[in-house]
Amino acid sequence: MSVATALGLTGWDCDLLATARSRWDTWAGLHPCLDVGVGPEGLRQWSLDAAPARANEVLLALAELGAPDGGGEAAATGMLLWVLMPGAVRLSRSLARYGPDVDEAVAAQLWISGRTVAWRNRVKVAPSVMLSARRGVLLDLEVTARWVDHETPSQDMDLLPAPAPDGGSAGAVDLVHELLADARRRGVVSRQDCRVLLDLSEHTTTRTTTLCRAGLLSRAAAHQVAREHGSSRTTIFRRAHRALEALQATYADRARTA
């Protein structure tokens, strides 16, 4: 099964894309940036050819239209993921070695990521969606990060896997994934705990949240994650504190003696 098939985005007669096509003029009225001189069928190629900042405006509009805290229109999320499908296919291929059901796992995480884009923060939508989906797939498949290639989607619309300029950043990311994967197997933290910690980290380091002394547990990051999880900031703080304390209690002595 392909990613497109798993998402139900196999042609313009499918429900999501047919609805997107019928709603396009209405959406363009709400978001004039969608008036790019082509219809929805030509949007993928237009996005590849357009200046990155201009393409991102269109993707942000689709993300907002599809988000539960925006327009709440599932067809807009479907349209967003249809535009990003070349990157989704590359992502699935890069993870294919980790199991026979990678396409379905990628599709599920893409849908979650597409519906929860932090559009209010004016993020770069394509890399944000792909990085979040990749992280979710690795958690779902319980992949130990030491076996994961050092690759992250690039900032362009093609989203070709691109190595980090040096091994430092990728190695640090892999170390975190390896630690969390081990902690999940040991029952130290839950999958939801891992998701909260990784989402807080993403907001702290890659989004427009301002860095401050609070770091991972900054109020701004916790507020954004709480909104995405449909929870309160207090709940996010409590869950993150509990998870971090559990990780420290389990791994701190080992790190000191390593």
Side-chain angles (χ1 to χ4, degrees), residues 175 179 182 186 247-258:
L175 180 61
L179 174 68
D182 183 72
R186 292 168 174 264
L247 290 169
Q248 183 179 25
T250 304
Y251 296 101
D253 289 340
R254 183 185 305 179
R256 282 194 292 269
T257 58

Side-chain angles (χ1 to χ4, degrees), residues 101-113:
D101 301 322
V102 165
D103 282 343
E104 291 89 337
V106 168
Q109 292 302 323
L110 279 172
W111 185 260
I112 294 171
S113 300

Side-chain angles (χ1 to χ4, degrees), residues 1 6 13 27 31-32 50 57 68 101 116 124 146 165 216 226 229 238 246:
M1 179 181 291
D13 57 345
W27 292 347
H31 295 273
E57 288 181 7
D101 301 322
T116 58
K124 293 181 178 179
R146 72 178 64 184
L216 189 68
H229 285 246
R238 185 182 302 117

Side-chain angles (χ1 to χ4, degrees), residues 7-78:
L7 285 167
L9 301 175
T10 53
W12 289 98
D13 57 345
C14 73
D15 289 343
L16 287 173
L17 294 182
T19 300
R21 185 159 52 183
S22 69
R23 294 282 292 157
W24 191 253
D25 289 341
T26 300
W27 292 347
L30 296 171
H31 295 273
C33 67
L34 294 177
D35 186 5
V36 297
V38 300
E41 298 91 340
L43 192 63
R44 181 187 293 166
Q45 188 59 51
W46 177 90
S47 299
L48 290 168
D49 296 336
R54 179 70 178 93
N56 196 56
E57 288 181 7
V58 170
L59 298 184
L60 278 169
L62 291 173
E64 178 180 349
L65 286 164
D69 60 341
E73 297 199 46
T77 302

Side-chain angles (χ1 to χ4, degrees), residues 10-255:
T10 53
W12 289 98
D13 57 345
C14 73
D15 289 343
L16 287 173
L17 294 182
T19 300
R21 185 159 52 183
S22 69
R23 294 282 292 157
W24 191 253
D25 289 341
T26 300
W27 292 347
L30 296 171
H31 295 273
C33 67
L34 294 177
D35 186 5
V36 297
V38 300
E41 298 91 340
L43 192 63
R44 181 187 293 166
Q45 188 59 51
W46 177 90
S47 299
L48 290 168
D49 296 336
R54 179 70 178 93
N56 196 56
E57 288 181 7
V58 170
L59 298 184
L60 278 169
L62 291 173
E64 178 180 349
L65 286 164
D69 60 341
E73 297 199 46
T77 302
M79 187 68 211
L80 171 64
L81 297 181
W82 181 82
V83 173
L84 297 179
M85 191 55 63
V89 171
R90 291 184 176 91
L91 174 62
S92 184
R93 287 175 181 170
S94 74
L95 300 174
R97 75 192 69 177
Y98 303 120
D101 301 322
V102 165
D103 282 343
E104 291 89 337
V106 168
Q109 292 302 323
L110 279 172
W111 185 260
I112 294 171
S113 300
R115 292 277 281 174
T116 58
V117 173
W119 56 270
R120 296 180 191 275
N121 289 346
R122 312 298 297 174
V123 298
K124 293 181 178 179
V125 176
S128 177
V129 169
M130 292 300 162
L131 287 169
S132 179
R134 183 176 189 270
R135 187 182 63 212
V137 171
L138 293 177
L139 284 172
D140 276 346
L141 299 181
E142 298 186 349
V143 176
T144 301
R146 72 178 64 184
W147 304 114
V148 180
D149 291 340
H150 290 175
E151 60 183 26
T152 57
S154 62
Q155 297 290 330
D156 63 12
M157 284 297 301
D158 272 336
L159 295 174
L160 292 169
D166 55 48
S169 297
V173 171
D174 279 358
L175 180 61
V176 171
H177 276 287
E178 182 174 351
L179 174 68
L180 293 179
D182 183 72
R184 283 190 64 200
R185 286 193 298 271
R186 292 168 174 264
V188 176
V189 292
S190 67
R191 182 185 184 282
Q192 184 63 22
D193 291 335
C194 293
R195 191 82 190 205
V196 166
L197 291 176
L198 290 170
D199 285 348
L200 285 169
S201 176
E202 181 183 355
H203 277 285
T204 301
T205 59
T206 66
R207 298 186 177 178
T208 56
T209 302
T210 302
L211 291 175
C212 64
R213 289 179 61 190
L216 189 68
L217 298 179
S218 70
R219 291 170 61 88
H223 176 75
Q224 294 295 334
V225 173
R227 184 166 58 185
E228 293 176 5
H229 285 246
S231 182
S232 69
R233 191 172 61 190
T234 300
T235 298
I236 294 299
F237 271 131
R238 185 182 302 117
R239 181 180 288 275
H241 273 297
R242 184 175 64 240
L244 289 171
E245 287 175 356
L247 290 169
Q248 183 179 25
T250 304
Y251 296 101
D253 289 340
R254 183 185 305 179

